[in-house]
Amino acid sequence: MNVLLLGSGGREHALAWKIAASPLLTKLYASPGNPGIGRFAELVKLDIADHSTVAAFCQEKKIDLVVVGPEGPLVAGIADDLRAWGIRVFGPSRAAARLEGSKGFTKDLCAKFNIPTAAYGRFADLAAAKAYVEKTGAPIVIKADGLAAGKGVTIAMTLEEALAALDACFDGAFGAAGAEVVVEEYLTGEEASFFCLCDGATALPFGTAQDHKRVGDGDTGPNTGGMGAYSPAPVMTPDMTERTMREIVEPTMRGMANLGAPFAGILFAGLMITDQGPKLIEYNTRFGDPECQVLMMRLKDDLLVLLNAAVDGQLAHMSVRWSDGAALTVVMAARGYPGTPEKGSVIRGLDEAASDGAEIFHAGTAINGGALVANGGRVLNVTATGTTVGEAQKKAYVAIDRIDWPQGFFRHDIGWRAVEREQTGK
Ligand code: AMP
Ligand code: GLY
């Protein structure tokens, strides 16, 4: 098969690595890709926003499958437009990607199909939103409705913060994404990322992970796209997984089919495991980044076979095998992240760092004058496996020690919750 992979982050590097291991692959192309992906794929410059250009490329290169990494093109309808040209695409339609593209859409779906989630109100008007917040009180959560690159959520511990967040949203802090807001109940519990591979009718559980959203050790500082992750998430016991499928994912699949927008692709449920059980925080309609990196390290099966089955509506006949142990990834970020990262600093020592079996996925790198340089906020994902999370954690940090990049920083405590559990046996 000829495959085109869209995207340029660590998630896409991990996907490329796994796709390249498939005996089904003839040739992999990636656009725009990155220097790490370039080891497995021919990198091509395509204007991904121009769907007919992508389609023309697919026809010329006889692409058998397009794999879409990030949410932006999905919400913009790239899957629909390529399918109209007869091209096979792994990823949801525009209508199904509303599960990520509009938080209000997802909340209304939950209300309609009785899916457990935080109580909420949906507002296109500042005064009405403020009245709701004043009536409900803090802590409370304010979310811009649309895609805001992970920055549209404010966890307001006081009424003042909540009102300020509403002002910011309606003042255009998130552009069109904030023209509407969701205000919701503050949930407490442990968070988990839960993935399902979906073909429109069947949802096949596809691994669990835990992310670390805050930039600093001890879960401090501003939110990021994710500073590290590990898989599996111990909180997702077989019982919790079964409940999540029955109470959240399956009603979503039926609900989306019911609305004429069956979901095919990766459904990523951000969950809060509360005293009452799993509640949906949000859906994403693509792999998590960096969660994908740890899932790919643990997946024993051929990813291309599974993606094909999802595209062809054959998941009811499939199963998935994972390695028994754990995988953990630590994000190395450029100084300044999650604000404006410093670009251009030189990174050395990746081959030495990877010599003990760590995989180093490139998230934001470029080649400049023959040298590997930082070219984004999250720059590298240093990833390792082990029989326990603790062992994977040790290996990842040993690899990081060997990387020569003084301008990079990382969290020192990725996996702490699971390691603590392993040590105390609870
Ligand atoms: P989101 O962009 O919706 O994933 O939100 C970012 C983060 O905010 C989540 O990973 C949670 O840590 C937190 N969060 C979102 N919604 C809630 C909520 N209703 N209660 C508590 N925390 C939340
Ligand atoms: N790591 C969280 C996300 O990909 O949305």
Side-chain angles (χ1 to χ4, degrees), residues 11 71 100 193 211 213 224-227 268 282 284 286-291 378:
R11 167 181 51 209
E71 63 277 15
E100 176 160 4
S193 302
D211 190 9
K213 296 228 185 225
T224 68
M227 291 300 289
F268 164 3
E282 62 158 6
N284 297 304
R286 36 110 190 141
F287 279 106
D289 188 348
E291 288 95 327
R378 295 188 291 174

Side-chain angles (χ1 to χ4, degrees), residues 103 118 141 143 153 155 184-187 191 213 272 281-282:
K103 295 192 189 286
V141 181
K143 300 183 171 183
V153 175
I155 312 289
E184 66 179 38
E185 171 198 2
Y186 174 72
L187 298 174
E191 279 185 59
K213 296 228 185 225
M272 187 72 87
I281 297 177
E282 62 158 6

Side-chain angles (χ1 to χ4, degrees), residues 96 99 157 316 354 381-382 413:
L99 284 174
M157 298 315 286
N381 308 137
V382 183
D413 61 350

Side-chain angles (χ1 to χ4, degrees), residues 9-11 71 100 148-153 191 193 195 209-216 220-230 268 282 284 286-293 329-333 336-339 363 376-381 409 411 414:
R11 167 181 51 209
E71 63 277 15
E100 176 160 4
K151 298 194 175 113
V153 175
E191 279 185 59
S193 302
F195 298 87
Q210 224 156 31
D211 190 9
H212 300 61
K213 296 228 185 225
R214 303 296 197 94
V215 74
T220 54
N223 260 325
T224 68
M227 291 300 289
Y230 58 91
F268 164 3
E282 62 158 6
N284 297 304
R286 36 110 190 141
F287 279 106
D289 188 348
E291 288 95 327
C292 181
Q293 290 79 317
T329 188
V330 181
V331 171
M332 294 187 81
Y337 181 74
R378 295 188 291 174
V379 175
L380 299 170
N381 308 137
F409 75 93
R411 275 183 64 161
I414 300 302

Side-chain angles (χ1 to χ4, degrees), residues 247-264:
E247 296 173 21
I248 298 180
V249 175
E250 276 157 12
T252 298
M253 292 297 285
R254 284 194 299 271
M256 292 302 285
N258 205 289
L259 296 176
F263 187 89

